[in-house]
């Protein structure tokens, strides 16, 4: 079956760093657009970063210059390096797999999420 398993979340102080990982199985990983979404307290789910099969990336303005998304197709894994973390980055972070030929997100695959808390 399809599984997306996130890891790497935790509690960090403002200015700190975390590296999230998402290991995928059950899909042809290399053709999927992979993304990281987050949902903070009292907020809607939002796209943080995405990377296509060709390596093109997209970031929310609020994380540009601080976060970097990357993928390793040999390991079926997508990463999110988060630097200079701010309290407003606190959220549950979800891994997403989106087939580029399917319109919409109804058939996307999702991980269960990993908590990132930025607090002093």
């Amino acid at each position: 079956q399809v599984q997306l398993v996130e890891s790497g979340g935790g509690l960090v102080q403002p200015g700190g760093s975390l590296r999230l990982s998402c290991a995928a199985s059950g899909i042809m990983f290399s053709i999927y657009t992979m993304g990281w979404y987050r949902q903070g307290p009292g907020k809607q789910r939002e796209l943080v970063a995405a990377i296509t099969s060709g390596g093109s990336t997209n970031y929310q303005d609020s994380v540009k210059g601080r976060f970097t998304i990357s993928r390793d197709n040999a390991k079926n894994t997508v990463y999110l390096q988060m630097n200079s973390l701010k309290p407003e980055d606190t959220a549950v972070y979800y891994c997403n797999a989106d087939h580029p030929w399917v319109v919409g997100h109804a058939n996307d695959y999702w991980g269960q999420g990993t908590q990132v808390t930025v607090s002093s």
Side-chain angles (χ1 to χ4, degrees), residues 14-100:
S17 297
L18 284 173
R19 189 193 193 204
L20 305 184
S21 298
C22 171
S25 60
I27 62 170
M28 194 168 187
F29 180 83
S30 63
I31 70 172
Y32 276 75
T33 294
M34 301 299 299
W36 289 96
Y37 288 73
R38 68 185 180 188
Q39 186 168 190
K43 299 182 181 296
Q44 291 186 294
R45 182 183 61 188
E46 64 178 0
L47 176 66
V48 178
I51 183 167
T52 69
S53 61
S56 297
T57 58
N58 183 49
Y59 298 92
Q60 280 287 322
D61 287 343
S62 64
V63 308
K64 287 180 179 177
R66 300 189 297 121
F67 292 10
T68 302
I69 189 170
S70 61
R71 66 192 296 162
D72 186 340
N73 289 342
K75 296 182 177 180
N76 285 5
T77 301
V78 62
Y79 305 94
L80 186 68
Q81 178 67 47
M82 305 186 294
N83 298 326
S84 301
L85 283 161
K86 303 174 180 180
E88 49 263 47
D89 296 318
T90 295
V92 178
Y93 284 70
Y94 297 93
C95 183
N96 169 271
D98 178 14
H99 197 297

